[in-house]
Amino acid sequence: MLAAKKKPAAKKTPAKKKAAPKAKKAAAKAKKAPAKKAPARKAKGPSEKTLKELHLKMVRIRRFEESAGKMMEDGKIPGALHLYVGQEAVAAGVMQHLSNQDWITSTHRGHGHLVAKGGEFKPMFAELFGRATGYCKGKGGSMHISSMDLGMLGANGIVGGGPPIAMGAAFSNKFRRNKNVAVAFFGDGASNEGSVHEAANMAALYKLPCIFVCENNGYGEYTAQSRHQAIVDVADRAAGYGMPGVICDGMDVMAVYEAAGEAIERARKGGGPTLLECKTYRYYDHVGVRGMGLNYRTDEEIEAWKKKDAIEGFEKRLKQLGVMTEKQIKTVHAAVEKDVDEAIEFANESPYPEADTLLDNVYNEKGA
Ligand SMILES: Cc1ncc(C[n+]2csc(CCOP(=O)(O)OP(=O)(O)O)c2C)c(N)n1
Ligand SMILES: [Mg+2]
């Protein structure tokens, strides 16, 4: 845990240094502390409120995605869905540090990012169902869902399409002299795209408040990372851009929370961008639940990653820390499940957009 590791990049980052003493201190305090309560965590680490919010975010993503997957397989959702199940800790850990004034750009696997950014289930399901009550009035769907109010600049069907947009948003933050940041999420596959290199280069050059979060799930579609790039750690590339590269365990929400917190804080203070690589895994196939039945990874590999499940691991920890009981955890799951059911009903009953609104809100409000 707290596995933030700095790659030997251009600048020093405190990520590595801070993680170790913190862990040592916590361990020392835990030794002294009586078993009943958890004063060590209260004194230094994130508050109970933060821990519960991180948990809720992950549960909301998982439940949303599991249900969306079923809906797609049942033919209720047109088009393809790329499920985020397995990667929840990344979205939750990063988004915990952001407000609605901070921008994010997402990917084709974007529902988890929007849920963690505060997206509500009703307009999300409605969008996936193509209904007028959706976030984009039913015209964006899974891969172009966005919400300007929440600072979510959009999912993106173009691999590597997000980082240049986030870099531009970060530039506007700097230009306006505010303290907001922009976070670009992208995959290991996307890390090979020219657009990502161009965005990272400019962000470093202008010291923009931009954080590049690579969710390295080991595959680009059905191609293993070892077959699409000659490096193991995408964070190695940070040195070439002139920014710190940090690696963290993307299955550990606290590790992501810590590493992202440092990168975001540095960006807010004018310290420039960071490349944060989160090692993670997607449980389902590239698209949908059943997938294409292609033989590109083993069941053993999937099972090994599931043993590190971010939600189960964190729930164990919350119980050990005395932050939540099993009963409270079950209550959270049940409440989220209810939210999902209500949202699906809402989406099902919502109207499709009217034909004469076809060109509204699509590109140019005036239709010119
Ligand atoms: C520019 C572009 N090239 C190719 C594709 C087809 N494509 C869709 S998803 C994907 C793999 C992306 O892999 P990664 O960035 O690792 O994201 P992951 O699917 O693992 O989340 C590819 C090649 C695309 N949508 N856009
Ligand atoms: Mg990938």
Side-chain angles (χ1 to χ4, degrees):
M1 82 141 219
L2 307 184
K5 261 188 221 157
K6 187 189 150 274
K7 297 301 292 178
K11 298 256 160 79
K12 269 194 175 180
T13 168
K16 190 176 162 191
K17 279 186 189 160
K18 275 193 179 168
K22 248 185 203 170
K24 264 191 200 163
K25 260 189 196 171
K29 280 200 177 178
K31 263 188 201 165
K32 276 189 231 156
K36 295 166 242 162
K37 291 201 174 151
R41 182 194 46 71
K42 273 188 182 166
K44 260 278 175 214
S47 66
E48 281 197 8
K49 184 170 168 277
T50 300
L51 294 172
K52 285 180 180 169
E53 283 175 6
L54 286 167
H55 175 248
L56 180 61
K57 279 188 172 77
M58 290 198 291
V59 174
R60 279 175 64 78
I61 297 171
R62 175 80 48 104
R63 296 276 155 236
F64 182 91
E65 290 292 71
E66 296 281 5
S67 302
K70 273 191 205 123
M71 296 288 124
M72 178 202 161
E73 299 288 348
D74 290 351
K76 290 246 165 71
I77 295 175
L81 284 201
H82 303 84
L83 298 174
Y84 194 71
V85 176
Q87 303 184 198
E88 294 88 349
V90 181
V94 173
M95 246 62 90
Q96 191 63 29
H97 298 282
L98 304 182
S99 77
N100 289 353
Q101 280 67 53
D102 295 310
W103 302 108
I104 64 163
T105 58
S106 178
T107 65
H108 53 287
R109 203 174 297 290
H111 313 152
H113 301 138
L114 180 52
V115 170
K117 196 83 171 53
E120 288 176 23
F121 287 170
K122 284 183 181 170
M124 281 192 73
F125 271 112
E127 191 57 39
L128 300 195
F129 282 44
R131 308 302 170 107
T133 51
Y135 268 118
C136 305
K137 299 185 165 58
K139 294 169 191 171
S142 165
M143 273 187 277
H144 298 100
I145 196 165
S146 64
S147 166
M148 296 304 129
D149 292 340
L150 296 173
M152 157 61 159
L153 288 168
N156 207 316
I158 299 169
V159 170
I165 298 170
M167 187 273 293
F171 183 86
S172 86
N173 287 338
K174 184 159 182 165
F175 192 73
R176 293 173 197 185
R177 296 175 201 272
N178 61 37
K179 295 278 174 225
N180 303 330
V181 299
V183 179
F185 292 91
F186 60 101
D188 50 296
S191 73
N192 297 328
E193 294 286 346
S195 54
V196 176
H197 305 310
E198 290 168 37
N201 178 60
M202 266 186 104
L205 177 67
Y206 294 130
K207 266 193 158 193
L208 300 180
C210 198
I211 297 91
F212 294 85
V213 177
C214 179
E215 298 189 62
N216 186 349
N217 59 14
Y219 293 88
E221 287 196 346
Y222 310 96
T223 307
Q225 189 199 353
S226 60
R227 292 167 62 91
H228 74 66
Q229 55 192 192
I231 52 171
V232 173
D233 299 323
V234 174
D236 282 349
R237 294 194 172 156
Y241 305 132
M243 66 175 78
V246 177
I247 299 174
C248 76
D249 179 354
M251 304 301 278
D252 179 346
V253 73
M254 289 306 297
V256 178
Y257 175 80
E258 290 250 337
E262 289 183 6
I264 290 167
E265 195 186 335
R266 185 167 52 249
R268 287 198 202 286
K269 286 181 175 161
T274 298
L275 172 51
L276 173 61
E277 178 183 8
C278 306
K279 306 281 192 186
T280 184
Y281 201 75
R282 64 169 154 74
Y283 291 179
Y284 290 117
D285 214 358
H286 173 62
V287 184
V289 174
R290 276 172 302 183
M292 309 263 289
L294 297 175
N295 194 16
Y296 68 101
R297 58 181 193 175
T298 62
D299 290 345
E300 291 75 35
E301 181 182 293
I302 300 170
E303 287 315 308
W305 278 92
K306 283 187 177 173
K307 287 207 176 96
K308 297 191 267 187
D309 186 73
I311 298 177
E312 279 174 24
F314 194 51
E315 287 179 346
K316 248 185 229 162
R317 207 137 113 203
L318 290 174
K319 284 187 269 183
Q320 282 163 0
L321 290 167
V323 173
M324 288 180 91
T325 61
E326 178 66 25
K327 201 173 157 208
Q328 287 168 325
I329 288 169
K330 282 197 171 131
T331 307
V332 168
H333 281 264
V336 173
E337 203 81 63
K338 188 165 167 274
D339 261 14
V340 167
D341 292 345
E342 286 173 7
I344 290 173
E345 204 181 320
F346 169 83
N348 254 327
E349 287 168 0
S350 291
Y352 286 102
E354 295 290 340
D356 63 2
T357 66
L358 187 67
L359 296 178
D360 295 350
N361 311 111
V362 174
Y363 179 68
N364 181 333
E365 287 260 340
K366 288 179 185 148

